[in-house]
Amino acid sequence: PRLPHLAECLNRTTMTCRLEALGFPHDSDDAAPRVQARLLAHKPGRRAVILYEIAGEARARLVGKTYRDDRAMRVVEWSRQLAAQFAERGAPVRVPQPLGLDRALKMSLSRWCGGRGENATNRLGPRFSKTAEILSALHDAVVGGLSPFTAEDECMIAARWSKLLRRFEARRADRAERLTERLIAWSRRLSPVPPRTIHRDFYEKQLIWAGRLAHLLDLDTLCAGDPALDIGNFMGNMLLDRASAGLSIRELPALADAFVADYRRTGGAVDSEHAGFYWAASLIRGGAIHSLRDATRAHVRSMWDMAESLLDGGIRVSQPRQSKKGAGR
């Protein structure tokens, strides 16, 4: 009911006409629908992602994202702002090219990004450092109209997932709630930081690589907050990916230090304690989510064990090194 226009977005006849109206001809005199529509992702009641393939000589592939609110208009504007700033900076990142906006269907349209996603097996390759550079460029961008997101908001999300988990697995929910309570206590000790443009759902699959360049996906989650959130979320997802691929997770603290060092080297500024907090938050929330997923629930204990080590101070993200001159001062 909250996405009543979704049926139209998936209707071939409707979308053939609507895409033509937006300037995407199908190069055919045939009256039959020439647009194929395939649902790629669906968050019931919130949003849906649809792949459109337009047949004909000028074959095109477009991605439509439809929402229950007016977010599509904001996403198109955010994309344009980021595209200009990434190009000016010379950053190794692009955004999917915005092609149009269908206000009636609350849909943004962008060009399909060819390329491939990253995976856990090549974490130590050159793209590991490039990912840190991409985050630095994103956090340095100035985007208007972003909603604030705080450490308290992050704790509320973890608490909400723990509460949902209790409906299905009380024993696991007990541990999730204990960890969340400690996370809330940690959040109250954090010093305030100036808000920056952050992704808020950043992990390796949000980057589609084509050579040395990457396209950054899912800009609808952009907000103004702590850059450490994106770093922590990236590291939390790295544990799950490595464990799912049968790779060791023991070197994750060293990888976190290397990633933060690369981020700082490319101009990013992040507080080490904040990075640890958001890393723990990602693991706690992720553990509750994956407790409900058969394919990944076996890795929840490892996620929560590492979160507990972060909460205990057994794992710390390295502080930036001071030069001898700075240390003398």
Side-chain angles (χ1 to χ4, degrees):
R2 284 192 257 178
L3 284 177
H5 50 286
L6 181 56
E8 286 187 76
C9 296
L10 293 169
N11 185 286
R12 295 175 58 200
T13 302
T14 297
M15 293 311 300
T16 295
C17 297
R18 299 192 77 89
L19 290 177
E20 281 184 345
L22 289 171
F24 301 104
H26 55 65
D27 291 345
S28 174
D29 295 329
D30 191 348
R34 305 291 299 197
V35 172
Q36 298 287 342
R38 180 159 62 95
L39 189 64
L40 297 181
H42 181 208
K43 194 82 170 179
R46 296 177 63 182
R47 62 182 179 272
V49 184
I50 304 159
L51 172 64
Y52 295 110
E53 294 187 87
I54 305 176
E57 295 178 7
R59 187 178 183 86
R61 304 179 84 190
L62 316 175
V63 176
K65 293 193 76 170
T66 184
Y67 305 86
R68 73 181 180 195
D69 53 23
D70 63 351
R71 187 169 292 262
M73 290 177 280
R74 285 175 279 167
V75 169
V76 169
E77 180 56 31
W78 294 342
S79 298
R80 289 171 177 158
Q81 292 181 39
L82 283 177
Q85 293 180 64
F86 287 159
E88 182 179 356
R89 178 176 173 142
V93 60
R94 300 290 183 268
V95 298
Q97 181 184 355
L99 297 175
L101 176 68
D102 191 318
R103 295 177 183 273
L105 296 182
K106 301 180 179 180
M107 175 185 288
S108 63
L109 287 158
S110 60
R111 192 173 300 282
W112 172 263
C113 297
R116 59 188 295 272
E118 191 74 344
N119 59 59
T121 60
N122 52 12
R123 291 288 188 186
L124 298 179
R127 287 178 179 169
F128 186 77
S129 296
K130 286 286 186 184
T131 299
E133 184 180 353
I134 287 169
L135 267 188
S136 177
L138 173 65
H139 296 159
D140 195 46
V142 178
V143 178
L146 299 180
S147 300
F149 190 89
T150 65
E152 290 75 16
D153 294 323
E154 184 76 4
C155 291
M156 287 177 59
I157 292 175
R160 190 161 63 240
W161 276 105
S162 299
K163 183 178 180 180
L164 176 63
L165 181 58
R166 180 160 295 284
R167 293 168 54 186
F168 303 96
E169 290 199 49
R171 189 172 179 179
R172 289 198 178 203
D174 286 341
R175 187 177 187 190
E177 288 171 355
R178 289 195 300 269
L179 291 171
T180 300
E181 288 172 2
R182 296 187 63 189
L183 187 73
I184 293 171
W186 191 356
S187 73
R188 293 169 180 155
R189 301 193 300 269
L190 295 177
S191 56
V193 297
R196 309 295 291 269
T197 298
I198 63 174
H199 190 281
R200 201 173 75 77
D201 189 28
F202 185 80
Y203 59 110
E204 75 291 339
K205 291 182 181 177
Q206 300 289 22
L207 295 177
I208 298 296
W209 293 88
R212 296 182 179 181
L213 289 176
H215 280 89
L216 178 62
L217 307 182
D218 289 350
L219 300 181
D220 51 301
T221 58
L222 288 184
C223 57
D226 190 337
L229 187 152
D230 286 337
I231 293 173
N233 203 64
F234 178 77
M235 294 307 304
N237 278 273
M238 183 184 287
L239 183 150
L240 183 64
D241 285 348
R242 292 186 69 87
S244 299
L247 301 175
S248 172
I249 63 173
R250 286 180 295 180
E251 65 269 29
L252 277 176
L255 286 174
D257 288 346
F259 188 79
V260 170
D262 285 336
Y263 176 81
R264 288 171 174 149
R265 192 177 302 116
T266 55
V270 63
D271 183 279
S272 295
E273 184 181 8
H274 287 227
F277 167 82
Y278 282 108
W279 186 5
S282 174
L283 292 167
I284 294 168
R285 165 175 40 83
I289 293 170
H290 291 282
S291 290
L292 303 173
R293 297 180 179 177
D294 291 341
T296 50
R297 59 183 284 117
H299 307 306
V300 170
R301 182 175 179 178
S302 296
M303 298 174 75
W304 283 346
D305 285 350
M306 185 164 284
E308 200 147 29
S309 293
L310 286 159
L311 291 164
D312 292 338
I315 298 176
R316 295 180 183 272
V317 179
S318 294
Q319 294 284 353
R321 294 181 179 179
Q322 286 187 327
S323 66
K324 292 182 179 179
K325 184 177 180 180
R329 289 198 301 271

